[in-house]
Amino acid sequence: MSSLASLTRDLVSIPSHEDESAAGDFVESWLRDHTDAAVTRDDRGNVTARRGDGDASLALVGHHDVVPPDESQVDADGGYVVEERDGRLHGRGTADMKGCVAAAMLAFRDADPAGELVFASFVGEEQGGVGCQAAIEDGFAPDYAVVGEGSTGYSAGGVTDVAVAHKGRRGSTLVAEGAAAHASEPDAGENAIYRATDAVDVVRDLDFPETTVLGHDLRGSVAVTEIEGGSAWNVIPERCAVTVDERTVPGERAPLSRAEAVDGVTWRVDQDLPPMACGDADFADALLDAAAGAQDGTPEHVVKPHATDAGWLAQAGTDCVVVGAAEPGEAHTADESVSVAVLGRCREVYERVAETWPPA
């Protein structure tokens, strides 16, 4: 088994859906044992390391938390099951994204960096990026970052592309308040469900946000995904809540506050994961060159539909791209897996860009 496959297997086997500390211990100890970098661990559990020097810093970024595993991905003792079959590692976290954390660890160790090279593995990415946000608040501010979330299979099957943008997600709730009454006398009350459906009509008429990033069109979406209201079949409802899922794009948001023009309706934002757009075309091209040199296929600049920690970094001023082994639809599934060969490709991409960026 290659050192990358072995390292991935070791990291994936550590449960980290409820408590990331053991996985963080492993990453921290490995970096201390195998590199001469300055390694730190903050009070949230984020692990960072730095080596090299220069006027600009490049970070290889990942996260070591995972979503809860499927029953089939856990053994009788509660450990994670990791299996290698047909050139792929199977198990919770192989694709999202401990495989690319391992690839970044090896690239960080082996590269001869052109500037300051930073490694970071965050906690809480699956909980809305809480670890990344905490690190930024504590001063984590690399000039550039390669985030190892999935970018394989977007332009063509098996090709590892370079994502120069991704959508964000704003989850919000429209709350309609009314007045209860007996259903036999509907005019004696104010029907909250009617008010809510009027608000839904406002949402349906909104234009989807869209923008262009490095020549690539990025279009958001707005959709009502849940509705809950009423207390009994014979009672005019006094409250109704509507969940709205909005996929945001850089610089644009749907004007959902317009729904508050309906009597009794208020709008509440519950989650706001920022989108990402790479603002440095030269950096994006450098990653494309590195990706092209690491594979036989022809990679392209692409956009992703999913939010990642790159959104938080970009919002804080870091120029980001996303390059990783996971394929569309692979993460968070009961049969999650990742190609060992593609992990090796990503390791090579990370090492190539670390040795050439920033340019002299």
Side-chain angles (χ1 to χ4, degrees), residues 3 15 18 62 84 112 124 134 143-144 154 157 163 188-189 201 215 218 222 238 278-279 284 295 352:
S3 59
E18 294 179 333
E84 185 168 4
D112 181 12
D143 297 295
Y144 302 93
Y154 280 78
D201 285 341
L218 194 61
V222 185
E238 63 180 354
C278 182
Q295 60 190 312
R352 281 172 178 260

Side-chain angles (χ1 to χ4, degrees), residues 97-121:
M97 59 163 291
K98 289 178 178 177
C100 275
V101 170
M105 290 164 68
L106 292 171
F108 177 80
R109 180 194 69 182
D110 295 339
D112 181 12
E116 183 186 34
L117 183 60
V118 182
F119 168 89
S121 187

Side-chain angles (χ1 to χ4, degrees), residues 32 42 57 74 99 116 151-152 186 198 208 228 240 283 285 311 342:
R32 294 189 187 280
D42 67 18
S57 56
V74 182
E116 183 186 34
S151 70
T152 297
D198 288 343
F208 291 174
E228 180 179 2
C240 184
F283 179 54
D285 287 342
V342 177

Side-chain angles (χ1 to χ4, degrees), residues 24-42:
D25 290 344
F26 177 88
V27 173
E28 179 186 10
S29 296
W30 189 95
L31 290 167
R32 294 189 187 280
D33 292 344
H34 293 86
T35 76
D36 59 358
V39 181
T40 59
R41 180 95 166 270
D42 67 18

Side-chain angles (χ1 to χ4, degrees), residues 40-62:
T40 59
R41 180 95 166 270
D42 67 18
D43 57 5
R44 297 298 294 267
N46 297 313
V47 181
T48 58
R50 297 174 182 271
R51 54 187 293 262
D53 54 48
D55 295 333
S57 56
L58 169 68
L60 306 176
V61 176

Side-chain angles (χ1 to χ4, degrees), residues 5-6 12 63 71 77 110 120 132 134 145 169 219 294 305 325:
S6 178
V12 169
H63 65 87
E71 290 183 1
D77 297 324
D110 295 339
C132 183
R169 178 187 184 270
R219 188 168 189 258

Side-chain angles (χ1 to χ4, degrees), residues 3 23 33 39 42 57 78 87 130 151 163 174 183 195 212 234 249 275 293 295 300 303-304 329 352:
S3 59
D33 292 344
V39 181
D42 67 18
S57 56
V130 294
S151 70
L174 296 168
R195 288 178 167 180
T212 302
N234 59 350
V249 301
Q295 60 190 312
E300 298 179 7
V303 298
K304 280 176 63 69
R352 281 172 178 260

Side-chain angles (χ1 to χ4, degrees), residues 1-14 26 30 82 84 89 98-99 102-103 105-106 340 343 347:
M1 183 184 295
S2 71
S3 59
L4 176 53
S6 178
L7 183 60
T8 300
R9 176 185 285 272
D10 290 344
L11 185 53
V12 169
S13 67
I14 303 171
F26 177 88
W30 189 95
V82 191
E84 185 168 4
L89 284 171
K98 289 178 178 177
M105 290 164 68
L106 292 171
V340 175
L343 286 180
R347 173 187 176 179

